[in-house]
Amino acid sequence: MDAIILQILNGLDKGSAYALIALGLTLIFGTLGVVNFAHGALFMLGAFCAVTVQRILSLSYSVLDETKKDFLGNPLKVDTHYIEAWFGPEIGASIIDWSVPLAILFSIPVMIAVGFIMERGLIKHFYKRPHADQILVTFGLAIVLQEIIKAYFGANPIPTPAPALFTGSFDFGVLIGFAENAITYPIWRLVYFIFALLVIAAVFAFLQFTTFGMVVRAGMADRETVGLLGINIDKRFTIMFAIAACVAGVAGVMYTPINSPNYHMGMDFLVLSFVVVVVGGMGSLPGAVLAGFMLGILEAFASMNEIKQFIPGIDQIIIYLVAIIILLTRPRGLMGRKGVMEE
Amino acid sequence: MLGLNKKDALLFMIVALLVGIAPFLLNPFPEGSSLGQMFNAGYPDLMQRFVIFGILVIGFNILFGLTGYLSFGHAAFLGIGSYSAVWMFKLLGYNIVPAILLSVLVSGVFSLLIGFIALRRTGIYFSILTLAMAQMCFNLAYSVLGNPNSNFNLTNGETGLQVYGNDPQYLMSEGSREIPHLFGLAMRDSYQWEISGWLFTFNTGYYLSGIIMLVAFYLSIRIFRSPFGLMLRAIKSNKQRMNYTGLNARPYALAAFVISGMYAGLAGGLLSSMDPLAGAERMHWTASGEIVIMAILGGVGTLVGPILGSGFIEYFKNILSKINDSLLHQWLSWLPDGLEDGIVWVLHFFVGKGWQLTLGVLFMLVVIFLPGGLVEGGQRVGRLFRRKKGGADGASAKQPAE
C-alpha cells in the first residue's frame, strides 16, 4: 500500500508538468487551431528565465579586504553580491535563496511578451496555411529558440536550487497513519504539484467565470459567429496564446529545482506532451489535464523495480504504448469531442 | 525511354550525369588551397552522405509529397535499417548484399506495423502518432533492448552496434575482406587521380550508393507517373471525395508508407555498409525533423527536390561547421575594425557549432516565404526571366495541400 501511494506521489510532479504543457497546447489548438511545436521551447524559455534571474541576483563585485590575508600575505579579494550590499547581508542572501520563486514574477511579463510577439509576428500568418506548414514553422522556431539558448547558456545543465526552506523531504506517511519513513517525499515536488493545481484552477476559472473567458469559449466553439457578432475574436485569441505561453513558462520556472534546465529539455517534454494531448482528446482542456496526471503516474508505476523485473524497460515506453492502445480503441482520445481536427 | 516521357528522361539523365561527375564538381578548387579546404566537398564520406540521404528523402517525398501525410518519425526506419545491416555483418559476414536486403525487409515490416496503426488517423494526429512511435523505437534501441549485460542485447545501447572479433560471421571464408564489401569490392576503396594540384577521389561506396540512388530515383519517377501515384495524389487533394467514389484510401496510403519506409531502410543499410556502426541517435526525432527539413527545402512533391534538399543541407552543414571566428576575421578584414568585430560577433552564433541555428532560420524562412522549396524558387526565377521577354504566362497559383 505505501509503495503504491509513493508511486502516485512520484508521478505527480512529472504529471503536473505534462498537464501544464498539454493545457497550453490545447488552449492554443482550441483557440487558434494551430499545432504549436514550439510549446516545449516556451517551457524551456521559462526555465531559463529562472536561470537568468539567478544570474542577475548573484551579480557581484570584488573588493580587496585589507584585514584578511591569503597565504602569500596579499590582501584577500572578497566577492560581494550587489544585492547583499544594497539590502544588507541577511535579506540579500535570502533574496538570492528565493531566486526561483522570484523568477516567476520576472517570467510572467517575459513570457507574455514572447507569446504576443510570436503570435502576432509569426503564427498569425499561418492561420490559413495547412496544418503541415504550421507544424513545420513552429518546429523551425523551436530549433531556433533552442539554439539561441544553447549559444548563450551553453549545452550543460545549470543547477538552480530551490529555496532552503523547501529543500529536503518530509514524511508524508506519518500524516496518513503509516510507519515513520515509509513514505518520504521531497518538499519541492509537493510545492510544484500544488502550484500546478493552482495554475490549472486559475486558467479554468478565468475561462469559466469571466466575460472574457466566456467570449473565448464561444470563439472556440464557433469562431465565425462570434466574429459576426462584432467581437474582435482575433485579439482575444492572441491574448489566450500569450496566456498559454505564460502557463508553459511558469511551469518551466518551477520545474528547474527538480531537473536542472538544459537547452533541449523543452523538446524532451514536447513529444510526451503531444502524446498527452492526443490521449486526453484534442481540444479538450479537462482531458489534457487528466491525461497529463494519468500518464505521469503511470510512468512512475512502470519505473517501480517490481514491475521492471517483470518487464524490463517498460518505463521507457509505457506512455507510448498506452497512447497507441487508447487511440486504437478510442480514436478521439479520452475526452475528445466529435469534429475536432477530423479533416 | 525506359517508360519515361521525354521530360522525365531528360531529368533522369541530368541527375545521372551529375551523380557521375560529382567527384569533379565537388572539388572545384585545387587540393590544399585555402578555398579548397573550405569549399571542397569531394571526399568519400560526404559524397556518400549526399546520395544516401538523397535516397532517404526521395522515399520520404513519396509519402509526404504525394499523399500529404507528414510523418515525423521517419528516422526510426533509417535506424532500423542500420541495425539490421550491422546484424548481417555480425552473423554472416561483410558482404553488403544480404545486409541491404535484410535492412529493406525489416524496415518494410516495421513500417507496415507502424503505418497500420498510425494511418488510422490523419492530419496532425498522424504526425504525432508517428512521432510517438519513432520515439518509442528510439527508447527501445537506446536503453531497453540495448543493455549490454542482458542476454538479449539487440542494439548495444549507447555504444552503438558494431562488429566484434568473436562474432560468428558464418559466410566468412579465408580470403574475404574484413571491411564491408560487394563481392570483394570494398566500400572504402578509392581511386585517386591527381592532375596539376587538383585531386579527385573516386570512391566505390559512393558510386554504388549513387547507382542505387539512381534506381531509387527512377522508381520514384515511375511511381509519380503511375495510376498508383495518381491515387496517392487523390488522397492528398481530397480524401473524402475519394471515399465517395467508392475507393478505400487507407491501403494506398499504407502502401506509400511502406514504400517510403523501405527507402529509409535502404538508406540506413547503406549508411551501415559505408561504416559498419549503428547508433540509436540516428533514430532520434530531431533526425526525423532533419529529414522533413531536407524534403521541404528541396521542394515537396517535386521529383528532383529531395535530391536538391538533402545535398544542399549536407553541403552547408559541412561548410558552416568548418567556419570559425579567425576565418571570419580573415574574410572581413577589409571592413573598419569596429564593424568587423560586430559582424563577426553576430555571425559567430551562426557558424561552427551554431550551424543548427542557421539551419533553423533557413528552414523557417523557406516555410514562410517559399513553401515549394528550392524547386519553386528556381521556377520563380525562371518565370521572372520569361516575363521579361514579354510572354505573359498565366501561371496559376498552386493550391496548398489540405
Side-chain angles (χ1 to χ4, degrees), chain B residues 151-229:
Chain B
N151 346 326
F152 192 67
N153 179 10
L154 260 184
T155 60
N156 210 15
E158 249 176 281
T159 327
L161 193 66
Q162 45 189 306
V163 186
Y164 294 111
N166 57 357
D167 287 326
Q169 300 197 305
Y170 292 115
L171 292 188
M172 285 287 268
S173 49
E174 272 305 297
S176 16
R177 307 185 65 164
E178 289 287 324
I179 42 176
H181 63 86
L182 177 72
F183 302 112
L185 222 58
M187 287 304 113
R188 67 180 67 152
D189 281 356
S190 312
Y191 169 72
Q192 292 195 321
W193 185 30
E194 202 174 348
I195 31 168
S196 59
W198 272 266
L199 181 72
F200 302 112
T201 312
F202 304 93
N203 175 260
T204 323
Y206 166 71
Y207 274 104
L208 180 79
S209 315
I211 291 167
I212 295 178
M213 189 202 78
L214 287 176
V215 174
F217 184 51
Y218 172 73
L219 284 177
S220 105
I221 299 180
R222 290 301 297 259
I223 290 175
F224 266 63
R225 302 287 179 240
S226 67
F228 172 68

Side-chain angles (χ1 to χ4, degrees), chain B residues 112-358:
Chain B
L112 188 68
L113 276 174
I114 292 181
F116 183 75
I117 298 170
L119 283 166
R120 287 166 165 258
R121 309 311 318 272
T122 55
I124 42 174
Y125 278 109
F126 175 80
S127 304
I128 294 172
L129 268 176
T130 46
L131 177 61
M133 272 184 281
Q135 201 60 7
M136 188 163 86
C137 292
F138 169 76
N139 280 346
L140 283 172
Y142 194 71
S143 53
V144 180
L145 297 178
N147 184 1
N149 300 322
S150 72
N151 346 326
F152 192 67
N153 179 10
L154 260 184
T155 60
N156 210 15
E158 249 176 281
T159 327
L161 193 66
Q162 45 189 306
V163 186
Y164 294 111
N166 57 357
D167 287 326
Q169 300 197 305
Y170 292 115
L171 292 188
M172 285 287 268
S173 49
E174 272 305 297
S176 16
R177 307 185 65 164
E178 289 287 324
I179 42 176
H181 63 86
L182 177 72
F183 302 112
L185 222 58
M187 287 304 113
R188 67 180 67 152
D189 281 356
S190 312
Y191 169 72
Q192 292 195 321
W193 185 30
E194 202 174 348
I195 31 168
S196 59
W198 272 266
L199 181 72
F200 302 112
T201 312
F202 304 93
N203 175 260
T204 323
Y206 166 71
Y207 274 104
L208 180 79
S209 315
I211 291 167
I212 295 178
M213 189 202 78
L214 287 176
V215 174
F217 184 51
Y218 172 73
L219 284 177
S220 105
I221 299 180
R222 290 301 297 259
I223 290 175
F224 266 63
R225 302 287 179 240
S226 67
F228 172 68
L230 210 60
M231 216 56 105
L232 297 182
R233 278 177 220 264
I235 297 177
K236 183 177 184 175
S237 54
N238 199 332
K239 203 169 142 228
Q240 216 155 20
R241 217 174 279 174
M242 194 175 162
N243 281 335
Y244 291 157
T245 51
L247 283 159
N248 187 359
R250 207 186 287 163
Y252 289 101
L254 186 61
F257 193 83
V258 172
I259 290 171
S260 77
M262 285 163 92
Y263 266 76
L266 172 66
L270 280 172
L271 270 184
S272 286
S273 305
M274 301 306 137
D275 181 14
L277 176 77
E281 72 284 344
R282 257 177 217 169
M283 304 169 85
H284 196 255
W285 75 280
T286 44
S288 304
E290 205 164 288
I291 300 173
V292 180
I293 294 179
M294 286 176 181
I296 300 282
L297 189 73
V300 177
T302 58
L303 283 171
V304 70
I307 302 173
L308 282 179
S310 60
F312 188 87
I313 288 199
E314 287 294 333
Y315 183 69
F316 278 92
K317 202 198 276 183
N318 174 49
I319 285 185
L320 284 171
S321 51
K322 271 199 259 179
I323 300 175
N324 53 28
D325 279 8
S326 59
L327 208 62
L328 284 176
H329 276 293
Q330 198 185 320
W331 284 347
L332 298 170
S333 54
W334 49 275
L335 285 169
D337 269 357
L339 193 63
E340 180 192 326
D341 288 343
I343 292 179
V344 169
W345 184 82
V346 172
L347 288 180
H348 166 80
F349 292 105
F350 291 91
V351 296
K353 281 183 187 157
W355 61 265
Q356 275 167 311
L357 181 60
T358 320

Side-chain angles (χ1 to χ4, degrees), chain A residues 76-88:
Chain A
L76 197 65
K77 260 189 190 171
V78 178
D79 284 338
T80 317
H81 298 306
Y82 281 106
I83 292 279
E84 288 179 359
W86 292 338
F87 294 98

Side-chain angles (χ1 to χ4, degrees), chain B residues 48-126:
Chain B
Q48 287 163 3
R49 290 181 69 85
F50 281 151
V51 281
I52 292 174
F53 277 85
I55 296 174
L56 178 63
V57 183
I58 289 173
F60 179 78
N61 191 38
I62 291 176
L63 179 71
F64 182 42
L66 286 180
T67 66
Y69 278 94
L70 172 57
S71 158
F72 241 85
H74 243 60
F77 305 126
L78 183 78
I80 288 165
S82 309
Y83 280 123
S84 326
V86 177
W87 267 109
M88 279 286 111
F89 294 147
K90 281 167 92 77
L91 292 177
L92 296 184
Y94 273 119
N95 198 330
I96 63 166
V97 174
I100 288 175
L101 287 180
L102 187 79
S103 56
V104 173
L105 197 73
V106 173
S107 53
V109 170
F110 267 86
S111 53
L112 188 68
L113 276 174
I114 292 181
F116 183 75
I117 298 170
L119 283 166
R120 287 166 165 258
R121 309 311 318 272
T122 55
I124 42 174
Y125 278 109
F126 175 80

Side-chain angles (χ1 to χ4, degrees), chain A residues 2-343:
Chain A
D2 48 347
I4 293 176
I5 293 178
L6 187 66
Q7 292 313 323
I8 292 179
L9 287 175
N10 279 342
L12 285 183
D13 60 306
K14 251 198 171 165
S16 311
Y18 294 152
L20 285 176
I21 301 176
L23 184 71
L25 273 175
T26 312
L27 266 183
I28 293 175
F29 180 75
T31 50
L32 302 171
V34 169
V35 189
N36 186 12
F37 259 60
H39 210 67
L42 294 174
F43 179 75
M44 187 259 313
L45 279 186
F48 276 90
C49 279
V51 175
T52 315
V53 168
Q54 193 201 31
R55 294 234 168 131
I56 292 175
L57 287 181
S58 33
L59 281 178
S60 59
Y61 61 96
S62 358
V63 279
L64 290 178
D65 191 346
E66 296 290 347
T67 57
K68 292 178 191 160
K69 305 278 181 188
D70 65 1
F71 64 100
L72 286 174
N74 299 320
L76 197 65
K77 260 189 190 171
V78 178
D79 284 338
T80 317
H81 298 306
Y82 281 106
I83 292 279
E84 288 179 359
W86 292 338
F87 294 98
E90 275 179 23
I91 300 177
S94 62
I95 289 180
I96 294 176
D97 187 33
W98 281 72
S99 66
V100 171
L102 281 177
I104 291 182
L105 298 180
F106 173 71
S107 73
I108 289 174
V110 169
M111 293 313 295
I112 286 182
V114 167
F116 194 78
I117 295 170
M118 203 172 135
E119 208 280 330
R120 283 291 98 180
L122 182 70
I123 299 202
K124 185 180 87 173
H125 307 289
F126 278 79
Y127 290 163
K128 298 259 158 61
R129 300 269 290 264
H131 278 299
D133 281 7
Q134 298 169 350
I135 293 178
L136 293 171
V137 79
T138 47
F139 176 63
L141 182 68
I143 296 177
V144 170
L145 289 176
Q146 187 175 313
E147 290 302 316
I148 290 173
I149 290 293
K150 186 172 147 195
Y152 277 94
F153 289 93
N156 295 324
I158 302 165
T160 39
L165 184 61
F166 297 122
T167 49
S169 36
F170 74 106
D171 203 334
F172 186 77
V174 173
L175 290 182
I176 48 171
F178 283 99
E180 264 182 54
N181 289 327
I183 308 170
T184 56
Y185 192 59
I187 300 173
W188 185 262
R189 297 195 178 205
L190 191 74
V191 171
Y192 192 76
F193 173 60
I194 294 169
F195 172 78
L197 285 188
L198 286 177
V199 171
I200 292 166
V203 170
F204 275 90
F206 180 70
L207 286 175
Q208 210 67 34
F209 301 125
T210 61
T211 322
F212 186 94
M214 193 183 71
V215 173
V216 168
R217 277 186 294 132
M220 281 165 90
D222 190 341
R223 182 185 187 141
E224 265 175 48
T225 314
V226 176
L228 289 174
L229 290 172
I231 295 171
N232 186 352
I233 194 72
D234 281 0
K235 199 172 97 189
R236 284 157 209 262
F237 280 179
T238 307
I239 293 172
M240 281 322 285
F241 188 95
I243 288 175
C246 196
V247 168
V250 291
V253 170
M254 293 293 274
Y255 203 72
T256 50
I258 298 176
N259 255 345
S260 302
N262 53 12
Y263 70 98
H264 55 77
M265 68 187 289
M267 289 288 196
D268 302 342
F269 267 94
L270 182 76
V271 181
L272 286 170
S273 302
F274 269 125
V275 175
V276 166
V277 170
V278 172
V279 168
M282 212 102 188
S284 157
L285 293 173
V289 174
L290 180 79
F293 282 115
M294 201 189 81
L295 292 182
I297 291 169
L298 211 60
E299 199 182 9
F301 270 112
S303 47
M304 277 167 80
N305 279 332
E306 289 84 350
I307 292 178
K308 270 211 246 174
Q309 274 167 4
F310 192 55
I311 317 169
I314 186 74
D315 55 321
Q316 304 280 329
I317 55 170
I318 180 83
I319 288 190
Y320 305 110
L321 278 182
V322 170
I324 291 165
I325 292 167
I326 286 189
L327 277 179
L328 288 182
T329 49
R330 282 184 68 90
R332 284 192 193 98
L334 289 176
M335 301 174 83
R337 281 169 299 143
K338 199 177 169 183
V340 178
M341 269 314 294
E342 304 267 290
E343 270 321 301

